[in-house]
Amino acid sequence: MSLNPDPSTAVRSGDPLTAEATAGTPESAGSAAPAGTPDAASTTPVAGTPAAADQGTPGPTAADVGAAETSGATDASADTAASVVAETITETIAEIGPELIDFRRDIHAHPELSFQEFSTTDKIVARLEAAGLSPVRLEGTGLICDVGEGPIALALRADIDALPIDDLIAEDFASTVPGVAHACGHDVHLTGLLGAGIALQRAHVARPGGLGGRVRLIFQPGEEVTPGGALRVISQGVLDDVPEIYAIHCDPNVDVGRIGSRIGAITAAGDTVLIRLTGHGGHTSRPHLTEDLVYALGKLATDLPSTLGRLIDPRHAISLVWGEISAGHAANVVPSEGVLRGTLRCLDVDGWNQVAEVLPELVERIAGPYGVEVELDHRRGVPPVVNTEDQVALIESAVRGELGEHAVQLTPQSMGGEDFAWYLTHCPGALVRMGTRTPGGTTYDIHQGDLLIDEASVAIATRIFTATALKVLDGTR
């Protein structure tokens, strides 16, 4: 049975994926006739008419009329201001679209690893300053930038680091740095947020009274390492007074122009595990006189993942997968050292915490009979990203308003990790997956050197960020 039903057939009471689709329809508006229609006139007595006198209903006073006129003027003014913002943002995104493509390509061609994003930070700062903003550099790399005035209404986050792999794309903007590539879409995330900052700033200047609140842009370093650069950002007070936060992540399994979304956990907890075994070593003809280290290593490699699955509730979906196993250099020598290295993933926080308690004892129990020395380095990574319902509803509504009613689809929970999870331990928020696949085109995967992203997603990222910010600012949740 699928854990994620087909969105076209799934109906869940209160689910933003379904409830939002009915908002604003004629049925939801009720059946009352608007003022000024024949039905309204026939049922509402007018002051001074016999009907009004017969029913003893007092007519409107001068104060009532004045209040109504003031209310109407206020509504018209608000509509005009909203129109100014919408038009300014639409025009700005269209105008800077080619520039954003060029900016993304430049970042892609010059990728920088986690906490080494010095040039990337400089480029973002320079463009935001050119837009009339005042970005603030974080310690080391990364930056924040506030748009608007008044209390912070929300934060928008993008990550800026690249991966230590070779870029295999054949485009003229392929990475110029050997062994480093933007193979996770962070170049798109940061460019989309940059575009949103420029568009929101122009709208703030164009609208009388400004945006009506402050939007914090977070350009975060070091997402690709554990436990993640988010912790470093949070430690600098960036989330102080931030009531909610939003992010996007590229998904090459979803067509461009759509997003994947879900309430609750959308990613998994992710840790790294390193086990180092040591012994005296010896000759393979006399394994009984030494510690058979390779055999012990093999038992750990096979028994540890399967035993974890028997000691912890399978509904936590514990996944321990090895990426490295190494020991020895000769066929007739029992080595004195060997290493296992892999990742440990889990769908929820409870299971994640249980593994931390069970793992050390279990490693000792499996390796103990072979007399080897065991060193376990269980490096806790990130908890799952747990999206909150209200924030999911808001960003889904923003996307539907921007990209169409059918632009939102239910996405399965990923076994990958994302340090956006740390922000959500401080305030509510949501991360959604933004489609980057050309419709009918090749389906790529992230963290692979051949990842090719449909560049229409750059402007879409900007539109999603700006639409989300405006929906929070205008209070239409």
Side-chain angles (χ1 to χ4, degrees):
M1 182 180 73
S2 172
L3 293 175
N4 301 284
D6 187 308
S8 64
T9 59
V11 178
R12 298 179 294 177
S13 176
D15 189 337
L17 283 167
T18 55
E20 280 292 325
T22 63
T25 61
E27 290 80 5
S28 67
S31 57
T37 64
D39 287 342
S42 64
T43 57
T44 306
V46 179
T49 64
D54 290 345
Q55 295 182 24
T57 303
T61 65
D64 293 332
V65 173
E69 290 175 349
T70 301
S71 174
T74 301
D75 290 344
S77 177
D79 289 344
T80 300
S83 177
V84 167
V85 169
E87 290 177 7
T88 301
I89 286 178
T90 299
E91 291 171 359
T92 300
I93 295 175
E95 175 193 329
I96 67 175
E99 178 194 349
L100 293 179
I101 295 294
D102 289 342
F103 191 93
R104 180 256 168 170
R105 291 181 177 184
D106 178 53
I107 295 293
H108 191 96
H110 304 94
E112 296 175 301
L113 294 174
S114 301
F115 303 123
Q116 298 176 31
E117 314 95 333
F118 298 104
S119 177
T120 302
T121 299
D122 289 343
K123 291 172 183 178
I124 299 169
V125 166
R127 185 60 186 89
L128 289 171
E129 288 179 340
L133 290 162
S134 301
V136 177
R137 294 174 185 268
L138 298 173
E139 294 176 8
T141 53
L143 64 135
I144 64 170
C145 185
D146 289 356
V147 186
E149 298 172 349
I152 299 173
L154 76 156
L156 301 170
R157 172 268 200 175
D159 34 20
I160 66 174
D161 55 331
L163 283 160
I165 64 176
D166 287 319
D167 197 350
L168 303 179
I169 66 171
E171 307 298 320
D172 57 7
F173 56 88
S175 173
T176 59
V177 184
V180 184
H182 270 292
C184 197
H186 294 189
D187 50 339
V188 175
H189 304 167
L190 70 88
T191 305
L193 187 58
L194 173 67
I198 296 169
L200 288 169
Q201 170 64 3
R202 289 193 186 178
H204 175 65
V205 172
R207 176 182 180 179
L211 289 175
R214 187 155 43 115
V215 181
R216 172 156 293 174
L217 314 178
I218 302 173
F219 294 88
Q220 180 210 303
E223 190 275 331
E224 294 293 358
V225 294
T226 56
L231 289 176
R232 182 181 295 189
V233 169
I234 294 167
S235 71
Q236 296 177 57
V238 168
L239 279 194
D240 293 354
D241 302 320
V242 171
E244 54 190 305
I245 187 168
Y246 297 87
I248 61 172
H249 197 293
C250 288
D251 188 344
N253 294 291
V254 176
D255 284 349
V256 68
R258 297 175 63 87
I259 67 161
S261 175
R262 71 180 296 114
I263 298 168
I266 192 170
T267 67
D271 300 349
T272 58
V273 176
L274 184 147
I275 302 173
R276 189 181 305 277
L277 302 185
T278 54
H280 293 93
H283 199 284
T284 57
S285 65
R286 296 180 289 276
H288 58 293
L289 298 180
T290 186
E291 302 86 11
D292 194 346
L293 187 139
V294 173
Y295 191 83
L297 203 64
K299 292 292 286 184
L300 280 168
T302 56
D303 289 2
L304 187 56
S306 60
T307 307
L308 279 173
R310 298 301 180 273
L311 295 180
I312 296 177
D313 190 329
R315 288 174 293 185
H316 295 308
I318 303 297
S319 173
L320 175 59
V321 179
W322 306 113
E324 176 188 350
I325 180 169
S326 60
H329 301 284
N332 61 348
V333 177
V334 175
S336 59
E337 183 176 87
V339 169
L340 270 175
R341 194 193 313 266
T343 59
L344 178 65
R345 304 178 188 277
C346 180
L347 290 182
D348 58 52
V349 174
D350 288 342
W352 189 49
N353 290 330
Q354 288 181 41
V355 169
E357 297 175 2
V358 170
L359 191 62
E361 179 184 351
L362 190 54
V363 169
E364 291 285 351
R365 190 187 307 171
I366 294 172
Y370 307 103
V372 293
E373 294 291 326
V374 181
E375 177 187 344
L376 170 66
D377 181 7
H378 176 200
R379 187 161 300 179
R380 300 274 272 172
V382 294
V385 171
V386 181
N387 287 338
T388 42
E389 184 171 359
D390 286 350
Q391 281 63 41
V392 170
L394 184 137
I395 194 168
E396 285 182 3
S397 178
V399 169
R400 285 192 175 98
E402 192 67 24
L403 303 177
E405 282 297 320
H406 301 291
V408 179
Q409 65 188 55
L410 183 65
T411 191
Q413 182 178 358
S414 168
M415 288 299 285
E418 230 289 354
D419 76 350
F420 185 72
W422 293 120
Y423 296 105
L424 301 187
T425 64
H426 292 262
C427 65
L431 176 145
V432 297
R433 299 196 179 106
M434 181 187 70
T436 61
R437 178 178 61 196
T438 301
T442 303
T443 298
Y444 296 95
D445 198 4
I446 57 174
H447 287 222
Q448 299 298 310
D450 66 344
L451 174 65
L452 197 59
I453 286 174
D454 189 318
E455 290 190 304
S457 61
V458 174
I460 288 173
T462 293
R463 293 169 64 188
I464 291 174
F465 277 132
T466 53
T468 301
L470 293 180
K471 187 161 282 289
V472 173
L473 288 165
D474 66 21
T476 57
R477 306 189 74 88

